[in-house]
Amino acid sequence: MARAADGESGNDWSFAVTPYLWAASLDANTRVSGLPEDVETNREGFFRLENLDFAASAVIEAHKGPWGVLLDLTYVGFSDDSARSGPLPLAAELETDGLIAQAAITHTMVTHDHWSLDLLGGLRYARVTTDLTVAAGQNVGQSFSGQADLFDPIVGVKGRLSLGGDWFIAYYGDIGGFGVSSDLTWQAYAALGYGFHSGSLQIGYRHLDYDFKDSSVVFDGSASGPVLGISIQF
């Protein structure tokens, strides 16, 4: 995650905008209304993009003194033409789209020459849309779809660890849900960064996990993969 560092201890607002690429893979069990079996897609791995169709993400941060505001927007689209339902004789073409918008208030608890720690609390919204067409087995040729809108409170931490010079490690973690919309949701991010005059370049890894049961979609899975982002501060 970016950090609008110039405003950490001053009285002026500072801002950072970070567009980033997330090469995510999907590993999930999902069920849509009208289909009694769970359908499994498994493309878990460090760099497996067979089921990633599209991804776009950006983080916007604002800081004034120890307080900050963070907004994280992500859209990902996945498809799998060989999804299956465990040992049952069912194969399916599966499409899953996710829009994730997260807003949080941050507060700097520790600021040191070599590391920093922020606490955060906020809300994560996710719209998950799933379309499934049965290709073999029972209900062959039939299509099923479902959509879930999730509003989950989250709490977490984020910060940086200096490696000397312009190099640093950025870290982020949160947990939420608590039965409000999701049974559980959590994510973690870590990256190696290099700072320059007006921003930084970061390369790392992000993992996002959801477990929820909606009236039209049951979902238990995660998206994870490498992240490359460039942060511009002003």
Side-chain angles (χ1 to χ4, degrees):
M1 297 296 177
R3 183 182 182 87
D6 293 340
E8 290 171 16
S9 58
N11 294 320
D12 296 329
W13 282 98
S14 62
F15 303 89
V17 178
T18 308
Y20 63 95
L21 299 175
W22 184 25
S25 58
L26 180 67
D27 180 25
N29 291 325
T30 186
R31 184 191 307 170
V32 296
S33 179
L35 189 66
E37 299 93 355
D38 289 349
V39 174
E40 177 181 334
T41 181
N42 190 333
R43 294 292 186 272
E44 189 177 20
F46 182 76
F47 199 74
R48 301 188 63 178
L49 304 182
E50 297 97 326
N51 61 359
L52 178 64
D53 295 332
F54 182 80
S57 306
V59 174
I60 301 171
E61 286 192 75
H63 280 265
K64 185 176 183 180
W67 293 97
V69 179
L70 180 151
L71 178 64
D72 188 355
L73 303 172
T74 299
Y75 175 82
V76 287
F78 300 99
S79 63
D80 188 349
D81 59 4
S82 59
R84 294 197 171 272
S85 179
L88 297 178
L90 184 149
E93 298 176 1
L94 178 69
E95 294 184 2
T96 299
D97 297 326
L99 172 64
I100 304 160
Q102 175 178 310
I105 302 296
T106 67
H107 187 268
T108 302
M109 302 300 295
V110 178
T111 300
H112 191 270
D113 290 341
H114 298 290
W115 67 287
S116 66
L117 173 68
D118 290 7
L119 300 182
L120 65 93
L123 181 71
R124 180 152 61 235
Y125 164 75
R127 169 169 288 186
V128 180
T129 304
T130 299
D131 297 303
L132 186 149
T133 301
V134 179
Q138 298 179 354
N139 303 303
V140 63
Q142 295 187 33
S143 297
F144 304 86
S145 62
Q147 178 177 293
D149 291 280
L150 311 169
F151 294 87
D152 292 303
I154 58 169
V155 293
V157 298
K158 73 182 189 72
R160 287 191 180 192
L161 174 65
S162 174
L163 299 178
D166 296 319
W167 294 94
F168 63 91
I169 293 176
Y171 63 89
Y172 174 96
D174 70 44
I175 187 170
F178 312 117
V180 176
S181 285
S182 303
D183 295 333
L184 177 68
T185 178
W186 64 274
Q187 71 169 324
Y189 168 79
L192 176 65
Y194 179 81
F196 49 87
H197 176 68
S198 58
S200 64
L201 179 69
Q202 298 182 29
I203 182 169
Y205 198 83
R206 179 187 185 188
H207 179 94
L208 174 63
D209 196 283
Y210 261 101
D211 180 7
F212 65 85
K213 297 175 179 64
D214 188 80
S215 59
S216 60
V217 180
V218 177
F219 184 90
D220 181 6
S222 62
S224 56
V227 170
L228 175 64
I230 183 168
S231 175
I232 305 299
Q233 299 178 359
F234 54 94

